[in-house]
Amino acid sequence: PGAPVPEALDKAGIQKVIDDFRRATVRARDAGFRVIEIHGAHGYLLHQFLSPISNQRTDEYGGDFENRIRLTVEVTDAIRAEWPEKFPLFIRLSATDWLDGGWDIEQSIELARVLKTRGVDLVDCSSGGIAPGAKIPVGPGYQVGFAERIRREADIATAAVGLITDAEHANQIIADGHADIILLARQMLRDPYWASHAAKILGAATRPWPVQYQRAAD
């Protein structure tokens, strides 16, 4: 209640979305960025098309799996056309909606297989966000299983995310082959030098501190 009422995009609106992603890619490339991540999770537009809960369209962008993934695939193609092949392209997916009849891990695996053929290099495996009422078993590493399944069954690199705050835990996820990288957000806000502290805890042979800070670090 009180939230804006969604309005279905017409064909021109869908094409504008695709063109906007393409133009954003050109700006990122020309600005010197070297990695792009497409946000297809957490109830944002691409996720709204993917999930049967939110996608009630009756045209070629709604209904069965192939139709619901169509916009994500077209956006990916538009981005990859402008993004140099040597630079990685990631996508963040909500691997499951945590709701009956919603997007789920099996569909995420199948989408990952498709996107790999379109030039996506890594799937960032998150979850939820499409609708209220989802019962999510939140805890450290609660989404790691999604990264492991997509990595194994779609044969694509994955990132594990979600309440991973401990260096040993992060390292074990990689050592066990459940994901290829760990992505952190809130923990890096709490501790901007988390990576340096983790390197020390894990005994990595590195000098990660900025040279201006080195006297304090030694």
Side-chain angles (χ1 to χ4, degrees), residues 34-206:
R34 294 296 179 263
V35 179
I36 280 181
E37 180 171 79
I38 305 166
H39 202 331
H42 303 155
Y44 290 103
L45 184 63
L46 297 183
H47 187 195
Q48 291 172 35
F49 273 74
L50 293 173
S51 175
I53 290 174
S54 50
N55 188 339
Q56 302 298 311
R57 300 180 71 97
T58 58
D59 62 3
E60 65 267 37
Y61 289 92
D64 63 19
F65 173 80
E66 286 74 18
N67 284 356
R68 286 183 283 109
I69 71 170
R70 190 181 306 276
L71 178 59
T72 298
V73 172
E74 290 178 348
V75 164
T76 301
D77 287 346
I79 289 173
R80 197 77 250 194
E82 302 290 353
W83 192 239
E85 186 176 348
K86 64 181 179 179
F87 294 149
L89 177 60
F90 297 0
I91 187 166
R92 169 165 273 209
L93 297 178
S94 282
T96 179
D97 289 337
W98 299 106
L99 291 164
D100 291 341
W103 184 259
D104 56 27
I105 180 60
E106 284 74 23
Q107 293 175 88
S108 293
I109 292 165
E110 188 58 37
L111 175 58
R113 291 179 180 137
V114 172
L115 294 179
K116 181 181 177 181
T117 70
R118 319 302 283 226
V120 169
D121 298 295
L122 178 141
V123 180
D124 172 0
C125 302
S126 191
S127 67
I130 200 65
K135 293 180 172 59
I136 303 176
V138 176
Y142 71 105
Q143 298 174 137
V144 171
F146 302 136
E148 192 278 330
R149 281 199 62 186
I150 291 172
R151 184 178 192 264
R152 172 167 44 86
E153 297 180 39
D155 191 27
I156 191 172
T158 60
V161 302
L163 298 182
I164 300 169
T165 62
D166 177 80
E168 286 94 346
H169 182 206
N171 192 57
Q172 196 63 49
I173 292 168
I174 301 299
D176 290 342
H178 295 322
D180 296 277
I181 63 173
I182 306 296
L183 298 179
L184 297 91
R186 280 172 285 186
Q187 188 60 22
M188 294 293 286
L189 295 175
R190 299 183 190 105
D191 176 9
Y193 289 103
W194 186 92
S196 297
H197 296 146
K200 185 174 183 180
I201 290 168
L202 297 172
T206 181

